[in-house]
């Protein structure tokens, strides 16, 4: 019946195949203008600049700059992530640090130059994507171009013989391709498919009939969806930064806090958020447990953290309890509360020279080494008389003697807790008006009460020399640090990210391709010879070769009797 | 939950076995290069002459295959085995193709499949031994990503009959896995609370998969650049053509296309992995993106691969330059795994070293 020829044997002189696949080396409607000098002499400067900004080359350069610009922020400490380390950097690099600071290198991702890169990139993106969107809409309304004259020169082609006269053979091919949802254009009137404008009918006179079919507009749509979604993500990030907030609070077991700016340790509102935007909940820490692996190679590695809390959403509401864990935040009033850190808070009671209790509370110590939970902190008793008292201390949950008689911790859980204190008396300098951290002590106006640090176990009391008073290590509690965050841009950002992913998958999977058919009458006026040509304008994931082969076989196999079937 | 020591030992044994079998496969692939190919090249030349004859006679013999659906859509590639440096098309049956390729390739392919199977068993049993996804620390991550690379490469090799790439890709896998076993070996154990989340499975799985895939693209890119430079030198008369080595490696255009296909497979997976990571960060740290060093480098990698995809659509940037970009992209990925995660302190408690 039909005979399918390999095109190279039909047309040995065909040029070498350079499949226009992949990155779309032959996508004439991609905005790939030559950059460089203005093409038209009279092009206004701003038009020329706009062209430059929206060119693919610029986008490429800006992408590079974005990658390059992100690097310093991963090497130099950032104020947003670790302000303490930034301070440390200023101390250890006094000459360099101010310069880095001048260029925003301690806050790269909030710096003007980084913003300039991504804003330019997104301006370029808009300038590139919006016209492409209009062009795609236009294309989806216009039929594909006329079939080229020499189909054998296309990257894929095949020839077959049909028993039908040319006009009917092309109509049959049209119904096959139409059945595969190709957009069609032909100079044969098929009734169901749009024919060429009347002027083109002249072609019929030279007895060749042709058909152009195109499919895969979704590929460009997917690409556009991807780029537009990136824009959406950027906007959502900006919204979150402006209207969201982050609030930190350290809570010792038994303590509670209400979510108001004054009760918080740190409050980082977005530029357009204020304290009155805080959600009105309050939280009490009932207890905290950390469990560790006790034996084997991984001994001391944390196994689980659990903070049992009671909270009330919207003041006056019913109290609920929850187990707050890492990876398991608490959702309350549209705010998420996270367990960020934990530590020990030894309980001290201090009596002054006159026998008055001037300090009696749990004092959060900060872990210096999270693997052993060796922690340090200070106890300040400004009400002690006649002299103010202060202590610098180290807390170890599992005391062992280290080399040289130093106090060390062998395990992160409190199996043998102990503190070692250095006592001071004098003036704590707390009424100088300057704010002081509760974790630091200014000893410039103080003198040590004893030369050696004093080691204590729970329940023990240290009677200070010279009748200055005493301090009792009552026991210990644990603390947790909680972070509450609110980010209105987060949900939409996720939605846009999902759309971007969808867009890119569509653009990689769908190929934009055209199939052409031309028919001439066979010798002897019985039947016709048809040439099929195929061209994948984009074929990222490959497979057009196979698809073309299938289509060609289907076209070749079309018989008058099964036309309607294959066309369905 | 403790560690099932028996299974952990089984896993270790299979991992070592995989490493040995891979090494043998590399030897066999190399053997094909050294001893196996000249014969095949000769066969290909003979067949080329046959094609020429066929072409002048007409395409009679091809008609039969048309009915079975395999329309020879692009010329000689479908009607006869191609010259050695063309990746043969898929139409010829796989077993025929392997048979035609000679003993060395037959052995190498069998060893590759065996090695990958052993590797997969090792990864899976490790997962059962520790009751979680077996990519909870750096060592496990590398063993898993090389497993993905192995599986993906075996697929590519069988699909495109790309035996000639075996020595390079399998060689790279052997080196990477060998280094993992010797330098960063970590015994089976549970992970810290920050990693106890089903997002570990989702996020790290995506990252492992895409890293394995990008790994293949990276090796192909290196191969592209070296052979392209060398071919250019040969063409310019500046270098000896060698003993036919270059004829056995797929052409630059085909390596380029294969690389591109590999990367567009990896890119959405990486994108998904970064999104999943952001969701997890939101669960664990309270913000979906905080420019933690590891996040930053994942972002840099993503931007670089996006730049690669753009370069392929930008005049003057296709070919070598695009390959440089994707190689830099993989370098940033490797830097993230080997340097950032190990030496730069951030919130990722992943490496599990030291
Ligand atoms: C935020 C920055 C950008 C990123 C991350 C990005 C990413 C990507 C990716 C991953 C692709 C490949 C996906 C596909 O082929 O559908 C792509 C393709 C494309 N992008 Fe972008 N892009 C960005 C900005 C831009 C800009 C500013 C332009 C215009 C100047 C642009 C124009 C294009 C075009 C025309 C393609 C299609 C290339 C082809 O024909 O294969 N993109 N982009």
């Amino acid at each position: 019946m039909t005979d399918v020829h390999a095109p190279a044997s039909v047309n040995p002189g065909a040029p070498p195949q350079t499949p226009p696949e992949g990155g779309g080396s032959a996508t004439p409607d991609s905005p790939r203008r030559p950059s460089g000098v203005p093409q038209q002499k009279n092009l206004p400067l701003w038009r020329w600049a706009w062209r430059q900004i929206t060119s693919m080359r610029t986008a490429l350069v800006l992408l590079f700059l974005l990658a390059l610009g992100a690097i310093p922020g991963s090497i130099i400490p950032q104020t947003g992530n670790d302000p303490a380390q930034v301070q440390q950097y200023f101390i250890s690099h006094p000459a360099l640090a101010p310069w880095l600071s001048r260029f925003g290198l301690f806050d790269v991702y909030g710096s003007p130059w980084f913003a300039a890169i991504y804003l330019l990139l997104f301006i370029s993106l808009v300038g590139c994507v919006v016209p492409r969107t209009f062009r795609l809409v236009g294309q989806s309304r216009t039929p594909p171009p006329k079939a080229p004259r020499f189909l054998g020169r296309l990257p894929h082609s095949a020839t077959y013989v049909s028993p039908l006269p040319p006009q009917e053979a092309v109509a049959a091919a049209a119904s096959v391709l139409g059945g595969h949802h190709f957009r069609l254009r032909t100079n044969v009137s098929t009734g169901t498919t749009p024919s060429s404008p009347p002027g083109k009918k002249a072609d019929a006179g030279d007895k060749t009939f042709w058909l152009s079919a195109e499919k895969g507009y979704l590929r460009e749509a997917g690409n556009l969806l991807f780029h537009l979604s990136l824009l959406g993500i950027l906007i959502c990030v900006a919204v979150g930064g402006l209207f969201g907030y982050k609030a930190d609070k350290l809570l010792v077991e038994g303590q509670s806090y209400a979510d108001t700016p004054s009760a918080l340790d740190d409050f980082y509102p977005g530029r357009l958020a204020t304290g009155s935007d805080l959600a009105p909940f309050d939280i009490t820490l009932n207890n905290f447990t950390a469990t560790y692996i006790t034996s084997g190679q991984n001994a001391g590695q944390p196994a689980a953290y659990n903070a049992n809390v009671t909270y009330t959403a919207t003041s006056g509401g019913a109290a609920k309890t929850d187990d707050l864990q890492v990876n398991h935040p608490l959702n309350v009033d549209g705010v998420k509360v996270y367990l960020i850190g934990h530590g020990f808070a030894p309980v001290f009671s201090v009596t002054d020279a006159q026998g008055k209790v001037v300090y009696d509370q749990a004092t959060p110590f900060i872990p210096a080494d999270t693997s052993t939970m060796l922690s340090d902190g200070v106890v300040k008793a400004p009400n002690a008389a006649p002299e103010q008292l202060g202590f610098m201390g180290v807390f170890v949950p599992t005391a062992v003697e280290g080399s040289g008689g130093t106090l060390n911790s062998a395990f992160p859980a409190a199996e043998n807790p102990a503190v070692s204190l250095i006592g001071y008396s004098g003036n704590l300098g707390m009424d100088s008006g300057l704010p002081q951290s509760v974790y630091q002590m200014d000893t410039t106006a103080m003198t040590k009460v004893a030369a050696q640090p004093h080691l204590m176990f729970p329940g023990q009391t240290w009677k200070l020399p010279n009748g200055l008073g005493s301090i009792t290590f009552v026991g210990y509690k644990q603390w947790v640090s909680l972070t509450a965050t609110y980010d209105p841009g987060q949900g939409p950002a996720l939605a846009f990210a999902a759309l971007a992913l969808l867009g890119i998958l569509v653009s990689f999977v769908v190929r934009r391709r055209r199939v052409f058919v031309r028919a001439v009458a066979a010798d002897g006026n019985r039947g016709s010879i048809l040439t099929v040509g195929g061209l994948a304008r984009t074929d990222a994931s490959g497979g057009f070769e196979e698809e073309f082969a299938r289509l060609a076989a289907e076209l070749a196999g079309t018989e008058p009797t099964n036309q309607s079937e294959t066309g369905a | 939950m403790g560690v099932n020591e028996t299974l952990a030992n089984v896993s270790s044994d299979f991992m070592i076995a995989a490493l040995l079998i891979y090494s043998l496969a590399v030897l066999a692939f190399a053997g094909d290069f050294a001893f196996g190919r000249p014969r095949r090249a000769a066969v290909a030349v003979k067949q080329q002459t046959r094609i020429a004859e066929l072409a002048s006679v007409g395409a009679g013999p091809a008609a039969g295959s048309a009915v079975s659906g395999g329309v020879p859509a692009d010329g000689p590639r479908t009607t006869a085995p191609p010259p050695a440096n063309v990746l043969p098309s898929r139409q010829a049956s796989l077993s025929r193709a392997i048979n035609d390729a000679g003993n060395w390739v037959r052995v190498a392919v069998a060893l590759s499949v065996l090695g990958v199977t052993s590797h997969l068993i090792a990864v899976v049993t490790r997962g059962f031994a520790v009751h979680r996804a077996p990519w909870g620390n750096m060592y496990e991550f590398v063993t898993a990503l090389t497993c993905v690379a192995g599986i993906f490469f075996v697929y590519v090799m069988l699909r495109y009959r790309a035996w000639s790439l075996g020595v390079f890709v399998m060689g790279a896998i052997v080196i990477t896995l060998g280094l993992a076993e010797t330098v960063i070996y970590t015994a089976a154990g549970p992970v810290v609370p920050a990693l106890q989340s089903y997002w570990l499975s989702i996020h790290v799985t995506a990252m492992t998969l895409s890293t394995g895939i990008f790994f293949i693209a990276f090796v192909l890119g290196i191969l592209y650049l070296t052979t392209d430079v060398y071919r250019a030198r040969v063409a310019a008369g500046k270098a000896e053509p060698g003993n036919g080595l270059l004829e056995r490696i797929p052409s630059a255009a085909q390596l380029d296309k294969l690389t591109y296909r590999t990367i567009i497979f990896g890119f959405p997976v990486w994108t998904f992995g970064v999104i999943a990571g952001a969701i997890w960060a939101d669960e664990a740290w309270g913000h979906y993106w905080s420019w933690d060093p590891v996040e930053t480098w994942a972002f840099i990698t993503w931007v670089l691969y996006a730049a690669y995809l753009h370069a392929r659509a930008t005049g003057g940037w296709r070919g070598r330059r695009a390959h440089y970009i994707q190689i830099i992209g993989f370098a940033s990925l490797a830097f993230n795994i080997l340097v950032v995660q190990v030496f730069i302190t951030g919130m990722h408690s992943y490496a599990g070293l030291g």
Side-chain angles (χ1 to χ4, degrees), chain A residues 37-94:
Chain A
V37 286
Q39 301 229 302
Q40 287 158 266
K41 269 222 179 92
N42 301 335
L43 202 63
L45 185 66
W46 68 269
R47 282 285 306 271
W48 176 79
W50 181 244
R51 275 202 182 181
Q52 293 304 306
I53 288 178
T54 57
S55 79
M56 282 297 271
R57 200 171 300 258
T58 307
L60 191 57
V61 169
L62 288 172
L63 279 171
F64 271 129
L65 285 179
L66 186 66
L68 210 60
I71 294 177
S74 71
I75 295 165
I76 301 167
Q78 299 291 293
T79 3
N81 286 348
D82 201 343
Q85 236 188 317
V86 175
Q87 279 180 3
Q88 185 58 44
Y89 199 92
F90 267 90
I91 294 166
S92 48
H93 302 83

Side-chain angles (χ1 to χ4, degrees), chain B residues 13-347:
Chain B
D13 292 347
F14 271 101
M15 196 64 80
I16 299 296
L19 192 52
L20 287 176
I21 300 170
Y22 280 151
S23 310
L24 292 176
V26 173
L27 282 183
F29 279 123
D32 174 53
F33 258 95
F35 314 113
R37 266 325 206 18
R39 215 199 82 235
R40 218 184 320 156
V43 170
V45 171
K46 233 186 280 164
Q47 260 147 357
Q48 285 252 291
T49 23
R50 249 190 58 216
I51 296 163
E53 287 160 14
L54 279 178
S56 55
V57 171
S65 65
V67 180
S68 63
V71 176
D74 77 6
R77 294 229 250 141
T78 47
T79 48
N85 72 340
V86 175
L87 291 183
S89 92
R90 311 206 290 125
Q91 265 83 357
S93 92
L94 182 59
S95 52
R96 269 262 322 274
I98 293 181
N99 254 330
D100 288 350
N103 282 336
W104 286 102
V105 167
R106 238 173 290 161
V107 171
V109 168
L111 284 171
S112 303
V113 171
L114 197 64
V116 164
T117 312
S118 173
H119 196 163
L120 188 62
I121 293 174
V123 170
V124 171
T125 46
R126 174 99 171 191
F128 281 113
V130 293
H131 316 286
R132 58 173 167 79
W135 29 84
N137 57 48
M138 187 70 62
Y139 165 73
E140 293 177 349
F141 180 71
V142 174
T143 55
L145 86 86
T146 42
C147 187
V148 171
I151 293 170
F152 187 74
F153 176 68
V154 166
Y155 165 74
V156 167
M157 177 174 70
L158 297 179
R159 185 179 199 264
Y160 297 101
R161 319 285 192 252
W163 337 118
S164 50
L165 302 180
V167 65
F168 306 101
V169 179
M170 280 298 174
I173 290 177
V174 165
I175 292 170
T176 311
L177 190 58
L179 285 176
E181 285 291 327
T182 48
V183 182
I184 56 171
Y185 178 79
T186 311
V191 290
V192 297
L195 296 180
Q196 293 165 9
S197 162
Y198 58 93
W199 286 105
L200 172 70
S201 318
I202 299 172
H203 163 64
V204 187
T205 303
M207 287 332 226
T208 312
L209 273 173
S210 45
T211 305
I213 295 164
F214 285 148
F215 180 88
I216 300 287
F218 166 74
V219 177
L220 293 176
I222 296 283
L223 202 58
Y224 173 94
L225 288 177
T226 41
T227 55
D228 196 40
V229 169
Y230 189 62
R231 281 192 176 113
R233 284 173 57 83
V234 170
K238 284 193 206 136
E240 290 294 309
N243 56 351
L245 189 78
L246 280 179
E247 275 64 59
R248 301 169 191 174
I249 296 173
S251 71
Q254 277 168 319
L255 282 174
D256 189 52
K257 198 198 273 185
L258 208 54
T259 311
Y260 176 64
R261 300 236 164 116
T262 308
I263 288 178
I264 64 159
F265 187 26
F267 189 79
V269 183
W270 182 267
T271 310
F272 173 76
V274 172
I275 296 173
I279 298 175
W280 185 14
D282 183 54
E283 292 278 288
W285 303 329
H287 205 299
Y288 61 92
W289 197 269
S290 39
W291 294 105
D292 166 80
V294 172
E295 280 175 5
T296 302
W297 280 89
F299 172 78
I300 291 170
T301 302
W302 184 79
V303 170
L304 287 171
Y305 279 105
Y308 163 82
L309 293 171
H310 269 224
R312 286 191 43 107
T314 308
W317 280 86
R318 275 165 232 143
R320 272 189 216 172
R321 285 202 194 178
H323 279 274
Y324 285 129
I325 301 176
Q326 69 105 345
I327 286 171
I328 297 173
F330 190 78
S332 76
L333 206 175
F335 183 77
N336 196 354
I337 298 172
L338 300 177
V339 180
V340 178
Q341 301 202 1
V342 181
F343 296 109
I344 300 183
T345 49
M347 294 194 282

Side-chain angles (χ1 to χ4, degrees), chain A residues 54 56 121 124-125 128 132 219 223 226-227 507, chain B residues 267 310 313:
Chain A
T54 57
M56 282 297 271
L121 185 57
S124 171
L125 190 145
C128 166
R132 275 170 64 202
R219 126 93 211 184
N223 180 294
F226 169 77
H227 285 91
S507 108
Chain B
F267 189 79
H310 269 224

